[in-house]
C-alpha cells in the first residue's frame, strides 16, 4: 500500500472510531452497573491492528480518544484520564498478546477489554482516593468478556470482507 | 499486507476466556461476602476528599457543589439517593435509592462519590473492645 493510501485509511479509521465513540456515549444501556459501555469503537482498533499493524493501531487509538474527548467535552477531566489509562493498559496488553502469543482476534479483543476496565479503575482509585470502585469492577470485568467477544466478532467479519474484496489492494 | 491471519476462534481463546471468567466469578463471590448489615452511614466524597458523613437513619436532604452544578442527595427510610444533578447521562440519579455498601453511588462527571459504611466501624467500637 502506498504511503498516501495508508495515511488516508488511517484518517478514515480515526474518523469512524471518533463517531462510534461519540455515538456510544449517547447510548444509555440499562444496566445495574453504572457506566457500562460496549466498547464498539474498539472494532476500529482491532481492524487497524489486523490490517495496518501495531504503529497504526497506537496512532488510531490515541487520536480517537483525544478527538472524541474534545468533542464530547471531557478533555483533561478525570473521565479523560480514566479513559487514557484504560486505553494505554489495554493497548499494551493487546500488542503483547498479538505479537508474542498465538491467540486469535477473539483472545486479543477479550484481554484488551478486560484490561481496559482494570486500567480505568486503577486511575479512578488514584484520582478519587477511594476504593469504592472495587464493588463494581468484577461486574464490569464480567461484561467486558462478552463485549470483547462481540467486538472481535464484528471486527473479524469486517476484516474478512475487506480481504475478500481486496480492499485498498493490500 | 496483513500481519496475522488468526481471525477464527481458537481453543486457546476459549481457555483464556474461561480462565478470566473463573477469576471474575471468584472476585464477585468475594465482593458479595463483604456485605454489611445493621446501622449504616454514608460517606460523601467530593474531588477525592471526605466532605460529609450522613446517618442513613435520619431523613434529610443535602446539597453539594459538584463539578457540573448542584448535586442534591436525599436520605429516606434508611436509603440514600442522588435525586437531582447535572451530568450528560444522569447515571447516578437514575441509580435511585440504595442502602447496600456493595452499591456505592458514583457521580463521575460531578466528582462526587457516596460510600455506605457500617456505623459501628466508623466509630471504632471494635478497636475499643
Amino acid at each position: 500500500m502506498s504511503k498516501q493510501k495508508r495515511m488516508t485509511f488511517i484518517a478514515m479509521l480515526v474518523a469512524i472510531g471518533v463517531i462510534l465513540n461519540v455515538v456510544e456515549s449517547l447510548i444509555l444501556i440499562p444496566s445495574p452497573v453504572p457506566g457500562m459501555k460496549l466498547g464498539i469503537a474498539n472494532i476500529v482498533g482491532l481492524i487497524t491492528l489486523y490490517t495496518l499493524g501495531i504503529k497504526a493501531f497506537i496512532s488510531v487509538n490515541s487520536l480517537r480518544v483525544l478527538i472524541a474527548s474534545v468533542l464530547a467535552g471531557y478533555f483533561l477531566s478525570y473521565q479523560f484520564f480514566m479513559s487514557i489509562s484504560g486505553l494505554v493498559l489495554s493497548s499494551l496488553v493487546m500488542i503483547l498478546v498479538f505479537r508474542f502469543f498465538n491467540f486469535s482476534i477473539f483472545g486479543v479483543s477479550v484481554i484488551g477489554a478486560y484490561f481496559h476496565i482494570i486500567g480505568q479503575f486503577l486511575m479512578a482509585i488514584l484520582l478519587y482516593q477511594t476504593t469504592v470502585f472495587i464493588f463494581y469492577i468484577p461486574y464490569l470485568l464480567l461484561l467486558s468478556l462478552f463485549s470483547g467477544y462481540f467486538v472481535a466478532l464484528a471486527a473479524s467479519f469486517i476484516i474478512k470482507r475487506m480481504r475478500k474484496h481486496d480492499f485498498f489492494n493490500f | 499486507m496483513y500481519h496475522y491471519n488468526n481471525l477464527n476462534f481458537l481453543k486457546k481463546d476459549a481457555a483464556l476466556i474461561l480462565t478470566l471468567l473463573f477469576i471474575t466469578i471468584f472476585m464477585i463471590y468475594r465482593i458479595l461476602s463483604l456485605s454489611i448489615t445493621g446501622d449504616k452511614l454514608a460517606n460523601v466524597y467530593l474531588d477525592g476528599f471526605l466532605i460529609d458523613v450522613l446517618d442513613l437513619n435520619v431523613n434529610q436532604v443535602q446539597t453539594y457543589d459538584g463539578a457540573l452544578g448542584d448535586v442534591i442527595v436525599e436520605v429516606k427510610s434508611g436509603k440514600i439517593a442522588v435525586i437531582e444533578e447535572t451530568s450528560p447521562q444522569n447515571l447516578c440519579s437514575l441509580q435511585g435509592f440504595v442502602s447496600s455498601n456493595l452499591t456505592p453511588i458514583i457521580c463521575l462527571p460531578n466528582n462526587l462519590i457516596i460510600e455506605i459504611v457500617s456505623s459501628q466501624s466508623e466509630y471504632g467500637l471494635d478497636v475499643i473492645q
Side-chain angles (χ1 to χ4, degrees):
Chain A
M1 194 197 300
S2 71
K3 207 175 173 182
Q4 287 81 0
K5 271 188 181 173
R6 188 183 163 86
M7 210 189 274
T8 315
F9 191 37
I10 288 176
M12 276 170 59
L13 287 168
V14 172
I16 297 167
V18 169
I19 292 167
L20 289 178
N21 232 345
V22 174
V23 167
E24 192 174 35
S25 67
L26 300 174
I27 303 168
L28 193 61
I29 301 162
S31 144
V33 183
M36 187 209 140
K37 280 183 184 175
L38 288 174
I40 50 170
N42 228 4
I43 295 172
V44 172
L46 280 176
I47 294 172
T48 315
L49 186 63
Y50 277 80
T51 55
L52 298 175
I54 294 169
K55 278 184 188 170
F57 170 70
I58 297 169
S59 318
V60 168
N61 267 356
S62 359
L63 283 169
R64 168 171 70 80
V65 171
L66 279 174
I67 298 171
S69 68
V70 172
L71 289 178
Y74 62 86
F75 184 62
L76 293 182
S77 69
Y78 280 9
Q79 206 182 334
F80 170 77
F81 291 111
M82 283 171 63
S83 197
I84 287 287
S85 74
L87 179 86
V88 169
L89 192 62
S90 75
S91 300
L92 278 176
V93 175
M94 281 169 83
I95 290 167
L96 281 176
V97 171
F98 173 77
R99 184 77 182 79
F100 300 108
F101 298 88
N102 204 18
F103 288 109
S104 78
I105 192 169
F106 290 90
V108 172
S109 173
V110 166
I111 207 155
Y114 203 82
F115 276 87
H116 193 271
I117 303 287
I118 294 174
Q120 276 189 325
F121 276 92
L122 287 177
M123 181 56 84
I125 289 167
L126 200 75
L127 289 172
Y128 292 93
Q129 301 285 314
T130 167
T131 53
V132 290
F133 299 102
I134 61 156
F135 295 115
Y136 288 128
I137 294 178
Y139 301 104
L140 288 169
L141 288 176
L142 190 65
L143 294 167
S144 77
L145 296 178
F146 293 98
S147 65
Y149 177 84
F150 286 108
V151 161
L153 197 65
S156 67
F157 178 77
I158 296 166
I159 297 165
K160 280 177 188 169
R161 275 295 174 96
M162 285 164 72
R163 288 183 184 183
K164 199 178 164 189
H165 296 287
D166 205 14
F167 196 76
F168 276 88
N169 300 316
F170 284 109
Chain B
M1 188 188 73
Y2 292 109
H3 289 258
Y4 290 94
N5 289 312
N6 291 344
L7 293 176
N8 295 318
F9 194 76
L10 305 171
K11 276 185 185 170
K12 269 182 106 170
D13 301 313
L16 173 77
I17 294 172
L18 281 176
T19 310
L20 293 175
L21 187 67
F22 281 123
I23 293 170
T24 314
I25 290 172
F26 178 71
M27 284 164 81
I28 292 175
Y29 170 75
R30 293 290 298 162
I31 292 284
L32 289 176
S33 68
L34 296 173
S35 177
I36 55 167
T37 51
D39 290 338
K40 290 165 190 165
L41 298 172
N43 288 340
V44 182
Y45 294 88
L46 189 66
D47 298 326
F49 295 100
L50 179 67
I51 54 157
D52 207 353
V53 179
L54 307 174
D55 188 341
L56 292 196
N57 291 325
V58 181
N59 290 354
Q60 55 192 308
V61 177
Q62 299 287 346
T63 304
Y64 303 102
D65 187 20
L68 298 180
D70 283 352
V71 181
I72 304 173
V73 174
E74 184 178 1
V75 178
K76 196 168 73 182
S77 323
K79 291 182 173 186
I80 187 162
V82 169
I83 53 168
E84 213 178 301
E85 39 88 24
T86 310
S87 65
Q89 294 183 316
N90 302 108
L91 287 175
C92 54
S93 52
L94 287 172
Q95 194 175 347
F97 281 89
V98 293
S99 60
S100 167
N101 64 315
L102 304 183
T103 53
I105 301 173
I106 301 171
C107 284
L108 285 189
N110 281 299
N111 294 343
L112 185 122
I113 290 168
I114 301 170
E115 171 193 32
I116 297 163
V117 294
S118 166
S119 56
Q120 287 207 335
S121 63
E122 188 66 22
Y123 295 121
L125 292 177
D126 294 343
V127 178
I128 294 165
Q129 286 167 352

